[in-house]
Amino acid sequence: MERREERDGRRWVCRTCGEKLVCIDIDPVETREFASSLANLACQREVRTDFVGFQEWLDRHGPFDAVVDGANVGLYSQHNFSFFQLNSVVNGLRQMSPSKKLPLVILHSRRVKGGPADTPNNKRLIESWRRAGSLYTTPNGSNDDWYWLYAAVSCGSLLVTNDEMRDHLFELLGTSFFPRWKEKHQVRLTYGKHGKQGPNFHMPPPYSIVIQESERGSWHIPTVSGDDIETPRQWVCATRDANAVSYSSCAKLAHIAS
Ligand SMILES: [Zn+2]
């Protein structure tokens, strides 16, 4: 237990100055307001009764610990949609869930008919997710992005997608809350690294990506670059030299231990 805490503790620490980074929690009231403005936007852009029907479905079957952008996960580095890959992510998330609950998978209805969805194994898989109340298929003509995003925000759950969420739809959401929410909830995936076949889950960082002053007066400034899984973000670490007469700052690029 002690070792575990020590390891977790180190993840927050700057390798240059040894100071911890802070985690700023998201206000639940702000989250609720964002969820309702998201629902309003979705109702304007989607068929209103479809989206309201989804909200009611979510009230009955939720909340979930994680929501999966099914199309993004099933197509990640694949030419054809892979239910096998999607299933490995679903199982991985179930194992991580404190209550061992299945995540919610959102898929457009065209993904569950024809093509890979018609093999006997995949039919059984789709049916088992349906019966468990962990699959929602969005109707013809819908944009499933509204559905998985709304589900994750309203459940306060993790959102599993490699979509960077920068296209037109996400621009409508503004820049005051959404980027902070995304930083704290998006889980990204890689495959076949670290000597194993299954998915690797890249969890949200346990610290906030904002300019911050630490307890002993170091400043940490996140750089814009390095916002992907393979090359972690670099920070500028500005520490005060206690021996200097004037407290001049010396900025260095720092790696945050992970
Ligand atoms: Zn530092």
Side-chain angles (χ1 to χ4, degrees):
M1 210 47 203
E2 244 176 65
R3 286 178 68 123
R4 170 77 190 273
E5 276 165 20
E6 191 189 308
R7 206 186 72 208
D8 286 347
R10 268 212 311 272
R11 294 176 66 186
W12 306 55
V13 162
C14 168
R15 282 184 200 160
T16 302
C17 70
E19 291 248 47
K20 273 188 179 181
L21 296 191
V22 297
C23 178
I24 299 155
D25 287 330
I26 293 181
D27 181 0
V29 176
E30 254 188 305
T31 306
R32 278 200 295 278
E33 284 167 4
F34 183 70
S36 86
S37 71
L38 192 55
N40 287 339
L41 276 171
C43 284
Q44 286 163 26
R45 276 163 176 80
E46 295 290 298
V47 176
R48 191 186 166 82
T49 49
D50 287 349
F51 198 80
V52 170
F54 172 61
Q55 287 180 289
E56 288 163 4
W57 184 93
L58 201 55
D59 284 342
R60 286 199 305 277
H61 294 86
F64 294 88
D65 298 325
V67 174
V68 180
D69 171 4
N72 182 276
V73 170
L75 284 167
Y76 178 74
S77 75
Q78 303 280 335
H79 289 297
N80 296 315
F81 190 89
S82 167
F83 279 95
F84 177 82
Q85 185 161 286
L86 179 55
N87 190 36
S88 66
V89 169
V90 167
N91 288 335
L93 289 166
R94 182 182 213 169
Q95 277 163 29
M96 277 190 266
S97 157
S99 56
K100 302 291 174 230
K101 190 177 161 90
L102 282 166
L104 170 61
V105 177
I106 303 280
L107 273 179
H108 194 279
S109 51
R110 70 169 177 271
R111 299 265 174 225
V112 294
K113 273 185 231 108
D118 278 354
T119 70
N121 276 348
N122 290 341
K123 270 188 171 167
R124 271 197 296 276
L125 185 61
I126 292 166
E127 200 37 50
S128 74
W129 288 341
R130 254 196 230 289
R131 272 201 309 273
S134 72
L135 171 67
Y136 192 87
T137 51
T138 69
N140 283 332
S142 65
N143 180 347
D144 53 347
D145 293 4
W146 289 111
Y147 290 75
W148 49 252
L149 183 60
Y150 176 77
V153 172
S154 66
C155 294
S157 69
L158 295 170
L159 170 61
V160 183
T161 182
N162 281 353
D163 188 330
E164 288 307 326
M165 294 179 261
R166 291 191 184 124
D167 72 14
H168 175 66
L169 183 154
F170 302 100
E171 279 175 12
L172 297 171
L173 308 177
T175 53
S176 71
F177 181 84
F178 181 58
R180 280 186 288 138
W181 183 88
K182 188 169 97 166
E183 178 192 311
K184 292 261 187 280
H185 293 85
Q186 185 180 9
V187 177
R188 292 184 284 183
L189 300 166
T190 53
Y191 290 89
K193 298 274 168 68
H194 313 296
K196 62 169 189 163
Q197 289 290 310
N200 303 296
F201 295 91
H202 300 266
M203 305 305 278
Y207 46 81
S208 297
I209 302 169
V210 291
I211 296 173
Q212 48 188 278
E213 186 182 19
S214 65
E215 266 176 31
R216 283 177 307 191
S218 293
W219 281 87
H220 292 101
I221 301 131
T223 61
V224 182
S225 61
D227 186 20
D228 72 56
I229 304 164
E230 303 302 329
T231 51
R233 184 188 301 274
Q234 289 202 306
W235 292 67
V236 173
C237 168
T239 48
R240 293 174 196 205
D241 181 353
N243 299 319
V245 178
S246 65
Y247 277 46
S248 64
S249 288
C250 161
K252 295 175 196 158
L253 272 182
H255 296 277
I256 303 305
S258 58

